[in-house]
Amino acid sequence: MSVPAKQGRITPKRIRSMKDGQPIVCLTAYTTPMARLLDAHCDLLLVGDSLGMVLYGMETTVSVTLDMMIAHGRAVMRGVKNACVVVDMPFGSYQESREVAFRNAVRLLQETGCDAVKLEGGEEMAETIAFLTTRGVPVLGHIGLMPQQVHTAGGYRSVGHSDEESAKLRRDASAIGSSGAFAVVIEGTVETLARELTAQVEVPTIGIGASSACDGQILVSDDMLGLFNDFTPRFVKRYDELGQRVRKAAEDYAREVRARQFPGPEHTFKRRS
Ligand SMILES: Nc1nc(=O)c2c([nH]1)NC[C@@H]1CN(c3ccc(C(=O)N[C@@H](CCC(=O)O)C(=O)O)cc3)CN21
Ligand SMILES: CC(C)C(=O)C(=O)O
Ligand SMILES: [Mg+2]
């Protein structure tokens, strides 16, 4: 007996199969309305811990908590029908032990309904990723520039400019590629190395500041929309200037209120009969 096929979200397994095919299209989303707008055009939506900087004005992503990621993961899930939804594990929620990582990853899956989690780390996190994936938690890796390591790295700096850094990134890509992760984000590295890593690892690479050689691309939506203007990494392309448009709309509104031009008759309730 056959049942009607229900069109669901793209699965991590399907993303895994997109190596060497059409580029994988990914963006971040933190809220229901933005998720609704982006969903149809994306293969994967990431509830990134970048929300700490973009939505909450934090200096780094280090202060973002699991409760914040759960609240925004739930909001995004309400808006998505098509894309695979991945939620970032925040700093401190997975580094201590593979058991702690599993417990917190399960909280994200159970309390948000998302499809997978992402965590930052190379060789040193491969064992944790294997522990999670063999127990039913799909994991997206994240190597290269790892924002949660800002304090030990001494800032947000692209990597792979020296032989030592390149060798480390090759070991990281190899370890994460064979850890059970369904794909790996590569952030902030040079084109030649990104191309080499993409050829080297068996799972898709999703680049951010890692050239066009990756199997997919991701950007912070607020960056490409011109909504976040505190800083603009070199790898961001502005597809719109929504920040300027918001400022202009607020300006127009303020002028009209002060001139008593808004609200007009068409915005005003009149007593019926
Ligand atoms: N809005 C936003 N967009 C992001 O891409 C992002 C976040 N927030 N928060 C978490 C991390 C931090 N990221 C950053 C932040 C700054 C640079 C940056 O300023 N890079 C400089 C120097 C790079 C270098 O010298 O190696 C650049 O010019 O791109 C890069 C990535 C990426 N992630
Ligand atoms: C930029 C992406 C990869 C991310 O980790 C985030 O938005 O937090
Ligand atoms: Mg992140």
Side-chain angles (χ1 to χ4, degrees):
M1 217 172 87
S2 70
V3 288
K6 185 182 180 290
Q7 277 284 74
R9 293 188 308 277
I10 294 171
T11 61
K13 195 175 169 191
R14 168 90 179 285
I15 300 288
R16 165 69 184 84
S17 77
M18 291 170 78
K19 180 96 187 163
D20 304 322
Q22 288 279 102
I24 304 166
V25 179
C26 315
L27 282 171
T28 61
Y30 313 131
T31 65
T32 307
M34 192 62 86
R36 285 198 176 116
L37 292 169
L38 305 175
D39 181 39
H41 307 285
C42 294
D43 299 306
L44 184 152
L45 286 173
L46 173 71
V47 185
D49 61 348
S50 52
L51 64 79
M53 297 164 78
V54 174
L55 297 186
Y56 291 85
M58 293 169 168
E59 197 92 36
T60 70
T61 58
V62 171
S63 316
V64 173
T65 65
L66 197 66
D67 287 343
M68 290 165 73
M69 298 312 300
I70 289 169
H72 287 279
R74 290 170 64 91
V76 166
M77 285 301 294
R78 288 182 202 115
V80 174
K81 292 192 300 201
N82 166 69
C84 181
V85 178
V86 180
V87 179
D88 256 349
M89 298 196 73
F91 183 66
S93 72
Y94 61 92
Q95 291 90 345
E96 186 177 338
S97 69
R98 46 194 212 170
E99 288 81 9
V100 167
F102 182 78
R103 175 56 39 211
N104 287 324
V106 167
R107 279 199 65 192
L108 287 173
L109 289 183
Q110 289 184 333
E111 296 180 35
T112 72
C114 70
D115 301 295
V117 302
K118 177 165 79 60
L119 56 85
E120 297 178 10
E123 292 176 287
E124 59 287 343
M125 287 316 297
E127 211 189 283
T128 295
I129 296 178
F131 189 86
L132 267 56
T133 56
T134 53
R135 286 161 179 76
V137 179
V139 177
L140 176 59
H142 181 156
I143 61 173
L145 192 169
M146 294 179 276
Q148 292 177 8
Q149 306 209 15
V150 58
H151 294 313
T152 44
Y156 299 114
R157 305 159 38 126
S158 54
V159 299
H161 296 282
S162 69
D163 290 347
E164 293 73 23
E165 275 184 3
S166 303
K168 167 66 175 148
L169 199 44
R170 282 188 196 97
R171 292 198 304 275
D172 288 345
S174 172
I176 301 308
S178 53
S179 67
F182 66 90
V184 60
V185 168
I186 302 180
E187 177 164 352
T189 196
V190 297
E191 179 173 18
T192 48
L193 189 54
R195 179 168 290 106
E196 193 192 306
L197 300 180
T198 296
Q200 166 200 329
V201 304
E202 54 201 276
V203 299
T205 59
I206 298 171
I208 173 167
S211 85
S212 63
C214 295
D215 298 301
Q217 296 293 327
I218 186 164
L219 281 177
V220 170
S221 296
D222 301 71
D223 290 344
M224 59 87 89
L225 294 171
L227 266 176
F228 180 81
N229 303 298
D230 290 13
F231 57 82
T232 305
R234 171 187 166 85
F235 53 74
V236 170
K237 177 175 175 182
R238 295 291 190 98
Y239 286 82
D240 210 326
E241 291 295 345
L242 294 191
Q244 289 178 25
R245 293 217 227 174
V246 170
R247 189 179 299 109
K248 164 77 161 53
E251 240 171 61
D252 291 353
Y253 169 75
R255 187 185 352 90
E256 291 192 4
V257 167
R258 289 181 180 124
R260 295 200 187 278
Q261 283 171 355
F262 176 85
E266 70 273 38
H267 310 113
T268 303
F269 295 107
K270 300 283 163 61
R271 182 171 160 156
R272 286 189 272 261
S273 85

